[in-house]
Amino acid sequence: MPPTRTAVRARSSRNRQTVRSFLDDTGSAWEVTLGKESWGTLVLLFTPASGGDARTSILAAETMFDASAELDALDDEALRERLRDSRPWT
């Protein structure tokens, strides 16, 4: 059974991962942090600030260090593009 979004957020806080906020194409606020799928693939984990369903986008990185660098390199427009191309988190 996959962890709940609450568990993912708590885990992110303990690991001191970066959480970034940005606005999507419609002006809605989103947060993005790093996540890991059950099979180990690293992803961007998008959550709407107002609540709702999370979305993911697969990263090329193979380590959390590289994933963090990949996230840091994305500006807000790149995050909006990744959100547009994301899939629902299941």
Side-chain angles (χ1 to χ4, degrees):
M1 186 162 131
T4 64
R5 278 188 275 293
T6 304
V8 170
R9 284 188 178 186
R11 195 171 337 124
S12 294
S13 296
R14 275 197 313 270
N15 292 337
R16 298 177 190 241
Q17 290 180 350
T18 302
V19 176
R20 288 192 32 204
S21 298
F22 69 100
L23 301 177
D24 68 11
D25 295 324
T26 66
S28 297
W30 286 77
E31 293 181 341
V32 60
T33 192
L34 300 175
K36 187 184 285 190
E37 297 281 11
S38 60
W39 56 89
T41 300
L42 297 168
V43 297
L44 295 174
L45 180 61
F46 295 97
T47 54
S50 62
D53 294 331
R55 302 186 64 81
T56 62
S57 177
I58 294 174
L59 292 168
E62 294 184 11
T63 67
M64 286 302 270
F65 180 81
D66 290 341
S68 182
E70 195 172 337
L71 174 56
D72 289 346
L74 298 173
D75 62 14
D76 285 2
E77 184 54 40
L79 288 173
R80 282 188 284 275
E81 184 177 336
R82 296 294 295 259
L83 177 61
R84 284 191 296 269
D85 295 336
S86 67
R87 62 178 178 78
W89 184 58
T90 55

